[in-house]
Amino acid sequence: MVSACVLIRTRRGEFEDVVKTVRQLKGVERAFPVLGRYDVVAELDVPDHTELGKVVLRMSRIAGVVFTETLVEVKP
Amino acid sequence: MLNACILLKVVPTRAELILEAVKEIRGVRKAYFTYGRFDIVAFVEAENYKDLRAITTKINSIDGVRSTETLAEA
């Protein structure tokens, strides 16, 4: 399993819809709106890196998402 | 419960010790090393903002932690 933290910026005022959609994506363990330099944080647990790429791609295509930054777990 | 995501930049030589210390803090659900702009990410579940502040203060006081960026649930 590979874990990752995805930091998401949304268009102004659209974070609620984005959070709802993100939560439905396979592999998203948890997602919540945040204060600070980002609008939404998503916690991912996926089988491997290729699946991670797919989920992040799907995420970046969600209406209202303008920016994503993925922090991938370093596996020992 | 209040979710938060804390992003850390740390002194490389102390990274292992710091990750272990962070994992032991009450309220820290999950923490791991990351590729990218930050070295460690910690997912926290706090009782309230006061509790979150206590957790971030504890993390900031660990020797070798250079900076943290806390993203608290809105």
Side-chain angles (χ1 to χ4, degrees):
Chain A
M1 287 297 280
V2 176
S3 295
C5 166
V6 184
L7 309 171
I8 301 168
R9 284 202 189 112
T10 67
R11 264 199 294 275
R12 272 198 322 279
E14 296 189 24
F15 66 87
E16 266 151 16
D17 298 336
V18 169
V19 170
K20 275 196 205 100
T21 315
V22 165
R23 281 182 178 143
Q24 286 147 14
L25 289 177
K26 192 165 65 71
V28 173
E29 176 90 9
R30 189 179 291 216
F32 48 94
V34 287
L35 303 172
R37 277 156 39 91
Y38 300 93
D39 302 307
V40 177
V41 167
E43 264 178 78
L44 267 59
D45 275 330
V46 289
D48 53 45
H49 281 81
T50 39
E51 189 53 32
L52 177 63
K54 285 186 197 141
V55 176
V56 172
L57 183 62
R58 259 180 243 126
M59 232 179 243
S60 60
R61 286 193 174 135
I62 292 172
V65 170
V66 295
F67 173 91
T68 65
E69 179 172 350
T70 303
L71 304 174
V72 187
E73 177 185 16
V74 175
K75 294 300 256 183
Chain B
M1 293 304 275
L2 182 68
N3 279 294
C5 167
I6 303 178
L7 307 167
L8 287 82
K9 287 183 181 173
V10 302
V11 171
T13 49
R14 291 195 51 80
E16 297 281 345
L17 291 168
I18 291 167
L19 181 60
E20 285 322 310
V22 166
K23 281 182 178 173
E24 275 151 27
I25 296 173
R26 186 190 51 75
V28 173
R29 252 185 326 102
K30 198 177 200 185
Y32 46 81
F33 289 123
T34 57
Y35 292 111
R37 234 158 27 89
F38 295 93
D39 303 313
I40 292 174
V41 67
F43 292 100
V44 166
E45 209 166 57
E47 302 293 327
N48 47 44
Y49 278 101
K50 200 160 136 326
D51 184 27
L52 177 58
R53 191 161 142 50
I55 293 170
T56 52
T57 306
K58 233 179 265 172
I59 289 178
N60 270 303
S61 63
I62 299 171
D63 183 27
V65 172
R66 281 206 178 106
S67 73
T68 64
E69 183 168 330
T70 299
L71 302 172
E73 186 166 9

